[in-house]
Amino acid sequence: MRNPPTPPVNYAPIAVFYILFISHAFAAFYQPIQDCDEVFNYWEPTHYLNHGHGFQTWEYSPVYAIRSWAYAALHALAIQGAKVVPVINEVFGKRAEFYMLRAVLALSCALCEARLFNAVAKCVNARVAWIFVGIMATAPGMFHASVAFLPSSFAMYATMLSTAAFIDRRNGFRTAQGIMFAGLGASLGWPFAVVLAVPFLLEEAFVAVNSDQQTIIDLAWRVLDGTARAAGILAIQVLFDATLYRRLTVVPLNIVLYNVFSSSGGPELYGTEPRSFYLRNLALNFLLWVPLSLLSLPMLFAQPSKSAIKTSHLRTLVLVSPFYIWLGLFTLQPHKEERFLYPAYPFLALSGALSLHILLTYLGSPSKTSFIAKIPAFLRLVFVLAFLILTLVLSALRIAGQVAAYAAPLQIYDPLHTPEMRNSINTTSSLDTTLCLGKEWYRFPSHHFLPDSFRACFIKSEFDGLLPGDFEQTGKGYGPYAGTWRVPKGMNDGNQWVEGKVVGVEECGWIVDSHLPSTRVTQREPKFIGSKEWDTVECVPFLDSANTGLLGRVSWVPEDWGRVWGEYCLLRRAKSV
């Protein structure tokens, strides 16, 4: 009796994974950190868990508890891989942990994208799926979102898995799995991301209501199953956070209460933006894909019958609607930040891919009486290729421009790790191991870039809001990780200045400072670079955005096109002083 033939291996998702992982790996090693919240709310607490010290923000005070220790601990565990090979730590120090975690994030993002690609290719349209991959692999927005250590990026990963589960019905409904991943993204990531799963649940409810009673019962059981799984994830998180905070607290609920019902001013304390902010931001991060994404809904209803979409108009409408919903909701919020859109990036890419697919179908098979049919097929092909090449070139210029302009904060600490420098540092001297940050405090890439014996401190600058404090060091009187549960001094949720967060310049053995042509020297922000009290260890070029034209700010351009540069420097106290 013959054995049944082995089914062929589907290599497409594997190829997609490698394409996306290579793209994100480049981002892991070259993308500058875009948001100081990423450092002080996630990299620093993770450093505290692994090394026993680090900066603490008010969000980690048990009084407020709007950051999850479970999220930080999950990433602290992922970092342990950097410690397996001793030579890595010997050569790169704690920087190896930073790049190890970024590599893990790149890997995680690529796996989630490959899963969504497979679901779209099998259940919607293969060409839409491949265009989706092209957007996710090349868009400047994904170059930073894919490896950002932020809950919004984690929510984006989980949203892709949730969406893939809702789409993929080849072996039955996966509603429970979709709800579980949506719950994972909402609990450990960002609670608002659960909104992105609502259109898929409404679609299943609509289909069930218009079917028989058994279909409604089946849906109810699937929803109950998924809700139970999501609740289980939340329960584990609450238990872990309660253990470290030493009080019962539900962090996702705290986040919602602060952002929606805060009596202290809420996120608006940190700035507001006009309603055009997100459209302008998306135009930089997704370029020509943005208008295609915004046109996906009208194009869906105007598509020709030969579009070869494998699902109904209702299913396709559900697939593109989360992007519109998310963009609309967050455009209405006064406080806007680029990272808030991360969870919806995959839907932007899917919407843009669907629009291009419809256009390609129309250009490839126009009706004989249409204007398009009169254009030679060769010219139509040239038009499509020109669009794709232009998009790719613009993406590459945008990414190269950002890396060249703002990579200095990730590079300036390298001299601290050379054998010659390590031999010159007196690790028993608090002065020789104290690195200070003034006006450049918000670009500090975390203690992962400093030697083990170093501590970073703040000195006065023109910034008048609340600076981070220090976690209580592990093992200093109150046992391990006392900083997770002891209420720190000098914290508030009103962004109010606290004097005790800064030290005097006389306590600093090192300073990181910048000087740009547009820099305004003040008493609080003097020019340390070039002064006799400080020796320059290393300086790296840094873009002066205030004096650079629009094109030079948003993209790479030749130097003679008006890009203006300043210096970003690591300084050491002069020995003669």
Side-chain angles (χ1 to χ4, degrees), residues 438-440 459-464 505 513-529 531:
K439 64 177 179 287
E440 290 300 321
I459 55 177
K460 282 185 178 180
S461 67
E462 295 298 331
F463 177 72
D464 60 357
V505 178
D513 193 31
S514 66
H515 189 75
L516 314 176
S518 64
T519 297
R520 185 173 62 91
V521 177
T522 67
Q523 184 176 359
R524 286 192 170 191
E525 295 182 355
K527 183 183 178 183
F528 293 105
I529 300 170
S531 68

Side-chain angles (χ1 to χ4, degrees), residues 57-278:
T57 61
W58 68 268
E59 291 96 329
Y60 279 92
S61 169
V63 175
Y64 307 106
I66 64 171
R67 295 290 180 260
S68 173
W69 280 111
Y71 176 74
L74 182 68
H75 293 76
L77 184 64
I79 281 176
Q80 298 305 311
K83 299 180 179 180
V84 174
V85 184
V87 69
I88 293 179
N89 282 308
E90 181 64 27
V91 175
F92 297 102
K94 291 182 293 184
R95 292 172 300 170
E97 300 177 10
F98 178 90
Y99 290 110
M100 168 63 77
L101 181 52
R102 273 195 162 188
V104 170
L105 294 175
L107 177 71
S108 301
C109 188
L111 287 170
C112 295
E113 290 165 317
R115 169 70 182 108
L116 182 54
F117 159 83
N118 197 42
V120 173
K122 296 295 183 182
C123 304
V124 180
N125 181 272
R127 185 161 67 185
V128 171
W130 280 106
I131 298 171
F132 165 77
V133 170
I135 298 172
M136 298 294 274
T138 61
M142 283 304 300
F143 197 76
H144 50 78
S146 60
V147 296
F149 184 7
L150 289 167
S152 49
S153 284
F154 185 89
M156 179 182 71
Y157 305 160
T159 295
M160 286 190 278
L161 296 177
S162 174
T163 304
F166 282 120
I167 291 174
D168 193 350
R169 297 178 180 175
R170 285 173 294 169
N171 296 309
F173 287 90
R174 291 182 168 89
T175 313
Q177 189 180 102
I179 294 173
M180 179 189 70
F181 284 122
L184 175 67
S187 296
L188 279 176
W190 209 27
F192 304 105
V194 74
V195 171
L196 295 168
V198 171
F200 298 97
L201 291 170
L202 290 177
E203 182 221 0
E204 292 200 19
F206 176 80
V207 172
V209 167
N210 288 279
S211 301
D212 55 28
Q213 185 177 7
Q214 186 57 46
T215 304
I216 297 175
I217 294 172
D218 291 343
L219 173 61
W221 278 111
R222 295 196 303 272
V223 171
L224 183 62
D225 181 14
T227 303
R229 298 186 198 183
I233 293 170
L234 178 60
I236 294 171
Q237 177 186 359
V238 169
L239 179 61
F240 189 92
D241 286 337
T243 301
L244 269 68
Y245 277 123
R246 293 199 181 180
R247 61 179 68 186
L248 184 62
T249 186
V250 182
V251 170
L253 177 61
N254 295 345
I255 293 173
V256 173
L257 292 176
Y258 171 74
N259 282 278
V260 181
F261 302 107
S262 175
S263 60
S264 63
E268 286 80 11
L269 288 170
Y270 302 94
T272 59
E273 298 290 345
R275 292 190 175 179
S276 61
F277 174 83
Y278 284 132

Side-chain angles (χ1 to χ4, degrees), residues 167-474:
I167 291 174
D168 193 350
R169 297 178 180 175
R170 285 173 294 169
N171 296 309
F173 287 90
R174 291 182 168 89
T175 313
Q177 189 180 102
I179 294 173
M180 179 189 70
F181 284 122
L184 175 67
S187 296
L188 279 176
W190 209 27
F192 304 105
V194 74
V195 171
L196 295 168
V198 171
F200 298 97
L201 291 170
L202 290 177
E203 182 221 0
E204 292 200 19
F206 176 80
V207 172
V209 167
N210 288 279
S211 301
D212 55 28
Q213 185 177 7
Q214 186 57 46
T215 304
I216 297 175
I217 294 172
D218 291 343
L219 173 61
W221 278 111
R222 295 196 303 272
V223 171
L224 183 62
D225 181 14
T227 303
R229 298 186 198 183
I233 293 170
L234 178 60
I236 294 171
Q237 177 186 359
V238 169
L239 179 61
F240 189 92
D241 286 337
T243 301
L244 269 68
Y245 277 123
R246 293 199 181 180
R247 61 179 68 186
L248 184 62
T249 186
V250 182
V251 170
L253 177 61
N254 295 345
I255 293 173
V256 173
L257 292 176
Y258 171 74
N259 282 278
V260 181
F261 302 107
S262 175
S263 60
S264 63
E268 286 80 11
L269 288 170
Y270 302 94
T272 59
E273 298 290 345
R275 292 190 175 179
S276 61
F277 174 83
Y278 284 132
L279 287 178
R280 289 185 283 112
N281 188 272
L282 289 175
L284 292 174
N285 287 321
F286 285 87
L287 305 163
L288 301 181
W289 296 112
V290 176
L292 282 180
S293 299
L294 294 172
L295 289 171
S296 61
L297 190 58
M299 291 182 70
L300 173 63
F301 291 101
Q303 67 175 315
S305 58
K306 296 180 182 179
S307 60
I309 296 292
K310 299 177 183 177
T311 60
S312 65
H313 270 56
L314 174 62
R315 292 233 68 199
T316 315
L317 173 63
V318 168
L319 190 61
V320 301
S321 62
F323 171 59
Y324 289 96
I325 294 170
W326 194 263
L327 182 60
L329 285 175
F330 280 87
T331 296
L332 295 175
Q333 306 307 310
H335 179 64
K336 299 176 178 67
E337 295 187 38
E338 181 178 332
R339 59 193 168 103
F340 292 171
L341 290 189
Y342 287 1
Y345 278 1
F347 294 106
L348 186 157
L350 284 171
S351 299
L354 179 67
S355 291
L356 182 58
H357 167 71
I358 293 172
L359 279 175
L360 291 176
T361 301
Y362 183 58
L363 290 173
S365 305
S367 61
K368 295 181 180 179
T369 58
S370 68
F371 170 75
I372 297 296
K374 299 176 183 179
I375 301 175
F378 172 75
L379 289 180
R380 282 179 258 157
L381 177 61
V382 168
F383 170 77
V384 172
L385 290 177
F387 171 83
L388 295 175
I389 293 171
L390 177 61
T391 303
L392 185 62
V393 170
L394 290 176
S395 294
L397 290 175
R398 168 69 176 167
I399 291 169
Q402 294 298 292
V403 171
Y406 304 115
L410 296 183
Q411 300 170 350
I412 201 64
Y413 300 93
D414 290 351
L416 294 174
H417 301 274
T418 63
E420 297 79 12
M421 186 63 74
R422 283 186 297 201
N423 291 334
S424 74
I425 296 171
N426 180 5
T427 57
T428 62
S429 166
S430 61
L431 181 67
D432 217 18
T433 55
T434 299
L435 182 142
C436 291
L437 303 153
K439 64 177 179 287
E440 290 300 321
W441 71 270
Y442 63 97
R443 292 194 178 105
F444 177 56
S446 83
H447 277 87
H448 289 96
F449 284 77
L450 302 183
D452 286 331
S453 58
F454 271 53
R455 299 292 185 273
C457 295
F458 301 119
I459 55 177
K460 282 185 178 180
S461 67
E462 295 298 331
F463 177 72
D464 60 357
L466 181 66
L467 288 167
D470 292 296
F471 282 111
E472 185 161 328
Q473 288 193 36
T474 295

